[in-house]
Amino acid sequence: MQEQQQTEKLVVQPNQTSSLLANKTNELAFKSLVIESKPPASQSVLKKPMTSLIIKTKKEYLTNFRSFLNQNLSVNVGLAPKSSSSDAAFSLTKLFINNCDLKKIDPCLCNLVNLTHLDLNSNLLEQLDNLTFRQLQILNASNNKLKSIGDNIVLPKLVSLDLSSNQLIGLTRKFFVNFKSISSIRLNNNQLSYLSDKLGFYLSNLKHFYANNNKLKSVPFSFSYLRLEMLELDNNPFEYNNQHQLQ
């Protein structure tokens, strides 16, 4: 019986192929040559898009995060090629910047177009203004030094706002016009002495209102139009001698 010839099979890497084929003195007779191509390690696992980012220190904010914002801004205006940073601008939905000594909000933040949760707790912010986040639902700016809320605020989907532990003195009609969709607002531990008399008309979706530890002497009569599920007004020097106060 004629013996069957065995076919030898060799698995080589792409960078070894040329040297093997060029070696004419190779004694092996290849009847089957298989080139195995393995992807680079960096491509072997698909990266998941970043959806949440937490910045806890001033140093981290000034270095890594500022660089991220600047690169992302360049991408958005067409000054740089698309990169993973630009992808992050669209995938990021939650951002926490705490204990970073921020005195104002960086306008570049508004390039994070799909942000739904922004936490700026424990900074040094003195004013809340020039904000446009069309997807934002939760905004926490508690434990800052806020003295005023500006008029240039566009947050059409905001449902929860926390301004506790600031230095707010009063909230005018313009403030509430900007937050018509809101259902929960926290104003504890401020210096509030008045609220707009139209509050109850503008915040028709309001369900939870917290304003403990302020200087309120009265509550707008328009409050009676609200369907509140939770109302907290402890530690305020209320006076009940005005017919337009809430009874």
Side-chain angles (χ1 to χ4, degrees):
M1 254 177 104
Q2 196 173 11
E3 294 184 356
Q4 294 181 346
Q5 290 184 343
Q6 292 184 343
T7 299
E8 299 203 28
K9 183 176 181 180
L10 180 66
V11 177
V12 297
Q13 299 295 326
N15 58 359
Q16 298 174 319
T17 305
S18 58
S19 60
L20 285 174
L21 294 179
N23 188 1
K24 296 182 181 180
T25 61
N26 199 315
E27 297 179 355
L28 294 177
F30 297 110
K31 296 206 177 197
S32 175
L33 180 62
V34 179
I35 299 177
E36 181 181 62
S37 179
K38 293 184 179 180
S42 60
Q43 298 179 3
S44 60
V45 179
L46 293 177
K47 292 184 177 180
K48 294 182 179 180
M50 179 172 61
T51 60
S52 181
L53 181 61
I54 300 175
I55 309 295
K56 294 183 178 181
T57 66
K58 182 178 181 179
K59 181 179 180 180
E60 187 178 1
Y61 176 83
L62 292 176
T63 54
N64 300 337
F65 187 64
R66 282 289 304 172
S67 176
F68 165 81
L69 287 179
N70 290 334
Q71 184 177 4
N72 175 61
L73 178 60
S74 298
V75 169
N76 281 350
V77 297
L79 299 179
K82 186 175 181 181
S83 65
S84 59
S85 294
S86 62
D87 293 335
F90 293 99
S91 63
L92 198 66
T93 60
K94 296 181 180 180
L95 176 60
F96 300 81
I97 304 177
N98 310 129
N99 301 299
C100 294
D101 295 339
L102 292 185
K103 294 184 178 180
K104 62 180 181 179
I105 299 175
D106 195 317
C108 294
L109 286 181
C110 293
N111 288 293
L112 305 175
V113 294
N114 286 321
L115 211 60
T116 62
H117 189 150
L118 178 59
D119 192 318
L120 300 172
N121 175 50
S122 299
N123 282 288
L124 301 175
L125 298 173
E126 296 183 357
Q127 185 180 34
L128 200 63
D129 201 6
N130 298 315
L131 289 181
T132 299
F133 291 103
R134 299 192 178 278
Q135 304 300 323
L136 197 68
Q137 299 176 23
I138 299 174
L139 175 59
N140 183 357
S142 61
N143 294 293
N144 278 276
K145 296 182 179 296
L146 291 174
K147 297 179 180 179
S148 64
I149 307 297
D151 300 332
N152 299 317
I153 297 177
V154 180
L155 305 171
K157 293 187 178 181
L158 193 71
V159 295
S160 178
L161 176 64
D162 191 344
L163 299 176
S164 300
S165 300
N166 280 286
Q167 300 174 14
L168 296 171
I169 296 175
L171 298 178
T172 64
R173 179 185 63 84
K174 291 184 178 180
F175 169 83
F176 296 108
V177 168
N178 289 324
F179 299 106
K180 289 184 177 181
S181 63
I182 204 165
S183 64
S184 176
I185 183 169
R186 294 178 179 272
L187 299 167
N188 299 324
N189 303 307
N190 276 279
Q191 302 295 318
L192 293 173
S193 60
Y194 67 90
L195 300 171
S196 168
D197 58 353
K198 302 294 183 182
L199 183 153
F201 300 124
Y202 289 112
L203 302 184
S204 58
N205 295 314
L206 190 64
K207 300 298 182 184
H208 302 87
F209 187 86
Y210 307 86
N212 300 318
N213 302 311
N214 280 282
K215 296 182 179 180
L216 295 172
K217 294 183 179 181
S218 64
V219 175
F221 179 75
S222 60
F223 252 71
S224 60
Y225 290 92
L226 296 172
R227 297 182 178 180
L228 293 174
E229 297 176 0
M230 179 62 70
L231 174 64
E232 291 189 7
L233 298 170
D234 295 338
N235 296 320
N236 282 279
F238 286 116
E239 297 176 356
Y240 298 98
N241 58 356
N242 190 307
Q243 62 179 349
H244 294 299
Q245 290 176 346
L246 185 63
Q247 301 298 324

